[in-house]
Amino acid sequence: EVQLVESGGGLVQAGGSLRLSCAASGITFGYYAIGWFRQAPGKEREGVSCISTSDGSTYYADSVKGRFTISGDNAKNTVYLQMSSLKPEDTADYYCAQRFYSCSDYLLRAPDSFDDWGQGTQVTVSS
């Protein structure tokens, strides 16, 4: 059984930083991609970033490029999302999800292509 558990959300002022973690079990890192998605109230879920654990390739939404960094620790089966220069518009519930093998810019825009999801962690950025 695949389980994904997010942590690290919270309340932060604009311009601040947070690091989210996604701990995965039931999958073998190196064969899966992990994505971060977010959903703000009244809005659709959108892809933020993803990483292919096979080769470390990373992908980002334009809205977070240069501010967010995704990384993976295969030994810990954990993916991190370092978020810096946070803006109020980054406020949302953040979810991690997994899909087999790889990610891409196209797949980041297709949440339905990811198979298993965590329960989410809330990020609130105050102005």
Side-chain angles (χ1 to χ4, degrees):
E1 180 185 4
V2 177
Q3 283 194 320
L4 302 169
V5 179
E6 304 96 333
S7 61
L11 173 64
V12 64
Q13 288 189 329
S17 299
L18 280 175
R19 189 178 80 158
L20 305 183
S21 298
C22 174
S25 60
I27 61 174
T28 302
F29 266 39
Y31 294 92
Y32 289 87
I34 301 292
W36 282 99
F37 297 81
R38 66 186 180 186
Q39 188 166 21
K43 294 189 176 181
E44 291 188 355
R45 187 168 296 189
E46 64 168 340
V48 175
S49 181
C50 62
I51 183 169
S52 299
T53 62
S54 58
D55 63 4
S57 298
T58 58
Y59 305 87
Y60 297 92
D62 288 342
S63 59
V64 305
K65 279 181 182 176
R67 300 189 298 122
F68 290 11
T69 302
I70 192 170
S71 62
D73 186 334
N74 285 11
K76 295 183 178 180
N77 271 25
T78 300
V79 169
Y80 304 99
L81 185 68
Q82 178 67 47
M83 307 186 295
S84 302
S85 301
L86 283 162
K87 305 175 181 179
E89 51 264 44
D90 294 318
T91 295
D93 291 325
Y94 283 71
Y95 301 86
C96 65
Q98 69 85 19
R99 67 181 311 281
F100 182 68
Y101 196 62
S102 66
C103 191
S104 66
D105 288 324
Y106 173 80
L107 291 172
L108 185 59
R109 296 191 295 271
D112 289 346
S113 70
F114 286 74
D115 300 311
D116 297 284
W117 293 76
Q119 82 290 348
T121 186
Q122 189 172 56
V123 172
T124 303
V125 184
S126 63
S127 57

